[in-house]
Structure formats: structure tokens, C-alpha cells
Amino acid sequence: MTGIHPQAGLTTGDADEAAMKRTLASRAAETYVRGSAEKIGTASRYEVLPLDAVTAVITDVAPEDAIVGDLERAGAALRRAG
């Protein structure tokens, strides 16, 4: 994913990549997304999945960052990396 946003969900900049990732997630028992701090709070052009469609987003964003609460209210389960 190139974007993980409270309203836009999980996004990417390529339509074919978005379709492929949706297909992979639909066949997986659990789906985890790696979301580095620079991707958190950004949105790209093509929606991949809503936040509540994945098991968890693994991120290095600081827990006290305001975006964390926004993402959790939007349905994201966040796990801290490291």
C-alpha cells in the first residue's frame, strides 16, 4: 500500500496493483499490511481495501500521534512494529 488513510482506507497509485492486492486479500485467511509512518495518513488514487477488511496494520507510527486514534475509529487494528 502507498496510502493508509482514515477515510480513503488502504490505497495504491496503480489500478492493476490495487486489483491484484484485493484478489490476494480475498483468498487469505488473514491479511496484514505494513504501514510505515510516511504512508500513514496519506491516500493514493486507487482504493485497495477498507481499513476493517484487514487483520491489522503493522506500523512504526508513534502511538501518541493523532492519526492513530483516527485510524482506530475508522476500523483499523494497529500493531506496533519493533
Side-chain angles (χ1 to χ4, degrees), residues 2-74:
T2 58
I4 301 170
H5 189 273
Q7 286 79 41
L10 304 167
T11 60
T12 190
D14 182 271
D16 291 334
E17 181 180 341
M20 180 202 58
K21 288 180 177 186
R22 278 191 298 275
T23 300
L24 289 171
S26 74
R27 288 168 171 69
E30 294 183 324
T31 302
Y32 292 86
V33 174
R34 184 181 60 185
S36 55
E38 66 269 4
K39 296 177 182 181
I40 299 292
T42 65
S44 295
R45 184 172 182 180
Y46 299 99
E47 181 184 13
V48 178
L49 294 166
L51 292 168
D52 61 0
V54 298
T55 306
V57 176
I58 301 167
T59 185
D60 60 350
V61 71
E64 61 274 3
D65 193 317
I67 194 72
V68 169
D70 294 341
L71 290 167
E72 289 174 335
R73 282 187 291 280

